[in-house]
């Protein structure tokens, strides 16, 4: 699931084609470096700077902030502890990604490669750490339920009565798989599932959580530690959450034995809008994804291409067009001509023109995106749209 504010090692081989899909070594190294640098940059930006600011205040103000119930110096110490917990996760991702992406350790002996890390890379690591809360904590289940449950419910309504053997033959593609939770849940439910993700940061993190964690609740995550804004209480700001809520490898043991789960690296259109991918899937499930398109036609044509005749496309999510008003980024990101930002009605008209029959459409309900608890003063809540469309063979359009 692409952020709206991941084949590597391991038993499930989710990124074994990563080197082929991503030959740009510099991009891989800059993503690796951002995870490596998380501890240093977080301490510097969050606590070191605030300690300097605190000690620059007049003594009378320091006295107020130092006394109960505020205890500001203690708050910064608690924040340091939270950063250490997040850094444990970030550095575990870094270590396991070296082998998963086939990086020669000799390259990492010097520090020159760290110069490749950009502010955007560091921001994506912070965002990925927050997304662990949404995808892999028990407390994030409410958010997952709002957008993933309509998909799994639709699958069960259509295929739930099948025998386990026949259900395993239903292949589901999940583009924009993010940290892999929806693709995981679909495989655990008995289907064949493939997630596709283009972001190195997400691929590295999903590989770690899916393949390299040894138990449920292995880590304590502090997803909201990186921002001081919009908290009613400090306990809410510095609240820890256990991840993963389940042990992925245990959940995937049967799917792995039956070769029913994979994560594929690469750009969605480049990877699937080709003759080799034509008709390979019974279902394509897009959740919080289609609004990442540069041109919506290319996404819908790719979805149509990957489906078998009569295959279904299940969508749930908003239309936060990611490339709106980002011309400079667009030129760097794609040579494809920019499409227009359409309404839901218009997207569905395009879907009909591409070759889909809209079978079901309804409001998807309110979907919160990485909320920070009951004491937060800010929430991103989307009124998502849910629809099911059926691929019409070209000769029957």
């Amino acid at each position: 699931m692409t952020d709206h504010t991941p084949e590597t090692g391991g038993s499930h081989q989710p990124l074994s084609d990563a080197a082929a899909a991503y030959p740009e070594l510099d991009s891989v190294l800059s993503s690796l470096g951002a995870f490596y640098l998380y501890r240093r940059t977080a301490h510097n930006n969050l606590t070191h700077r605030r300690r300097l600011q605190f000690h620059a205040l007049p003594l009378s103000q320091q006295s107020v902030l130092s006394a109960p119930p505020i205890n500001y110096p203690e708050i910064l110490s608690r924040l340091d502890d939270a950063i250490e917990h997040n850094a444990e996760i970030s550095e575990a991702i870094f270590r396991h990604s070296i082998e998963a992406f086939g990086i020669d350790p000799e390259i990492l002996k010097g520090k020159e490669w760290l110069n490749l890390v950009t502010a955007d890379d560091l921001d994506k690591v912070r965002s990925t750490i927050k997304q662990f809360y949404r995808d892999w904590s028990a407390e994030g289940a409410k958010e997952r339920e709002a957008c993933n449950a309509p998909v799994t419910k639709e699958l069960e309504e259509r295929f739930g009565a099948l025998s386990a053997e026949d259900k395993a033959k239903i292949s589901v593609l999940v583009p924009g798989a993010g940290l892999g939770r929806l693709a995981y849940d679909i495989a655990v439910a008995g289907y064949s599932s493939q997630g596709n993700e283009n972001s190195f940061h997400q691929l590295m993190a999903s590989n770690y959580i899916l393949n390299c964690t040894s138990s449920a609740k292995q880590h304590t995550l502090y997803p909201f530690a990186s921002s001081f804004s919009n908290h009613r209480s400090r306990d809410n700001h510095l609240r820890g959450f256990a991840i993963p809520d389940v042990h992925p490898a245990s959940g995937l043991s049967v799917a792995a034995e039956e070769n029913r789960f994979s994560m594929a690296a690469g750009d969605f259109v480049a990877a699937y809008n080709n003759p080799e991918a034509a008709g390979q899937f019974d279902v394509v499930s897009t959740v919080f994804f289609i609004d990442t398109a540069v041109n919506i036609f290319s996404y819908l044509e790719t979805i149509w291409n990957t489906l078998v005749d009569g295959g279904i496309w299940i969508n749930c999510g908003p239309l936060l067009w990611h490339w709106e008003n980002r011309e400079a980024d667009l030129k760097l990101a794609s040579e494809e001509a920019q499409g227009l930002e359409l309404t839901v009605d218009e997207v569905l008209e395009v879907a009909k023109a591409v070759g889909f029959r809209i079978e079901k459409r309804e409001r998807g309900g309110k979907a919160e995106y990485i909320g920070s608890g009951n004491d937060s003063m800010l929430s991103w809540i989307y009124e998502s749209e849910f629809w099911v469309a059926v691929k019409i063979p070209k000769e029957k359009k």
Side-chain angles (χ1 to χ4, degrees):
M1 186 184 303
T2 302
D3 182 21
H4 273 64
T5 60
E7 283 177 28
T8 63
S11 58
H12 311 304
Q13 301 299 319
L15 297 173
S16 61
D17 62 344
Y22 291 109
E24 304 90 348
L25 180 60
D26 284 0
S27 297
V28 176
L29 291 176
S30 66
S31 301
L32 272 176
F35 284 108
Y36 177 82
L37 291 173
Y38 171 82
R39 184 192 304 268
R40 182 191 310 176
T41 58
H43 280 304
N44 185 62
N45 295 333
L46 292 173
T47 54
H48 177 66
R49 179 168 60 84
R50 284 178 172 82
R51 284 191 174 94
L52 293 177
Q53 292 171 335
F54 173 79
H55 289 293
L57 293 172
L59 290 177
S60 59
Q61 296 177 11
Q62 290 186 41
S63 178
V64 172
L65 293 175
S66 298
I70 298 179
N71 297 317
Y72 195 77
E74 181 184 329
I75 289 169
L76 296 182
S77 294
R78 289 175 59 191
L79 180 55
D80 277 327
D81 289 340
I83 291 169
E84 288 298 305
H85 280 281
N86 288 349
E88 176 185 302
I89 302 170
S90 184
E91 290 168 10
I93 294 169
F94 166 76
R95 291 192 301 272
H96 287 281
S97 296
I98 294 171
E99 180 179 357
F101 278 78
I103 303 300
D104 184 350
E106 290 295 318
I107 297 175
L108 306 180
K109 286 188 175 180
K111 297 299 182 182
E112 294 82 2
W113 60 281
L114 291 175
N115 296 327
L116 298 167
V117 179
T118 67
D120 187 52
D121 287 313
L122 295 169
D123 187 61
K124 287 179 179 178
V125 165
R126 288 189 291 268
S127 176
T128 297
I129 288 173
K130 287 184 68 174
Q131 196 161 331
F132 274 127
Y133 163 80
R134 177 181 174 89
D135 279 13
W136 291 102
S137 77
E139 292 81 358
K142 182 178 178 181
E143 291 192 17
R144 296 195 298 272
E145 181 77 10
C147 57
N148 292 356
V151 173
T152 54
K153 180 182 177 182
E154 186 69 27
L155 289 173
E156 285 302 293
E157 287 178 356
R158 290 177 176 268
F159 309 113
L162 295 176
S163 66
E165 182 180 359
D166 287 338
K167 183 185 282 191
K169 296 176 183 177
I170 302 299
S171 55
V172 184
L173 175 63
V174 183
L179 299 187
R181 185 57 187 257
L182 177 58
Y184 166 87
D185 286 340
I186 290 171
V188 170
Y191 305 98
S192 292
S193 174
Q194 180 172 101
N196 163 245
E197 179 55 53
N198 192 41
S199 163
F200 287 133
H201 307 83
Q202 301 272 297
L203 285 164
M204 292 173 180
S206 66
N207 172 63
Y208 175 71
I209 204 76
L210 288 166
N211 291 318
C212 306
T213 50
S214 58
S215 66
K217 301 182 179 181
Q218 179 176 339
H219 296 286
T220 301
L221 175 78
Y222 293 82
F224 313 119
S226 61
S227 174
F228 275 70
S229 297
N230 292 309
H231 297 287
R232 286 194 170 90
S233 72
R234 197 60 67 187
D235 285 341
N236 185 73
H237 177 203
L238 298 177
R239 184 181 176 190
F241 302 86
I243 64 163
D245 59 315
V246 295
H247 182 218
S250 296
L252 287 171
S253 59
V254 174
E257 290 175 4
E258 299 175 355
N259 197 28
R260 290 192 289 103
F261 177 77
S262 62
M263 289 286 284
D267 173 79
F268 173 56
V269 174
Y272 295 97
N273 198 4
N274 53 62
E276 292 75 18
Q280 294 299 304
F281 294 92
D282 299 293
V283 181
V284 175
S285 171
T286 54
V287 174
F288 277 62
F289 174 70
I290 63 170
D291 50 7
T292 67
V294 176
N295 185 318
I296 191 63
F297 279 86
S298 63
Y299 269 24
L300 302 195
E301 289 166 355
T302 303
I303 294 170
W304 190 93
N305 180 67
T306 64
L307 285 169
V308 299
D309 291 347
I312 66 169
W313 168 31
I314 308 173
N315 178 78
C316 188
L319 287 182
L320 176 64
W321 295 109
H322 282 41
W323 298 101
E324 184 175 1
N325 301 321
R326 291 173 61 185
E327 295 291 342
D329 291 340
L330 193 66
K331 292 175 182 177
L332 292 174
S334 175
E335 296 179 359
E336 179 184 16
Q338 183 178 13
L340 301 177
E341 297 83 8
L342 305 180
T343 67
V344 175
D345 290 342
E346 292 162 347
V347 168
L348 292 176
E349 290 301 316
V350 172
K352 294 175 186 177
V354 168
F356 286 100
R357 182 181 74 253
I358 310 304
E359 190 171 277
K360 182 187 298 186
R361 176 189 174 185
E362 57 192 43
R363 291 285 182 94
K366 295 183 183 296
E368 187 173 11
Y369 198 85
I370 312 185
S372 54
N374 294 331
D375 282 338
S376 174
M377 301 168 69
L378 174 67
S379 295
W380 292 99
I381 299 178
Y382 294 94
E383 290 278 358
S384 58
E385 282 273 335
F386 173 79
W387 65 75
V388 179
V390 179
K391 174 180 175 176
I392 305 171
K394 286 186 177 180
E395 63 273 17
K396 297 181 182 179
K397 287 185 187 178

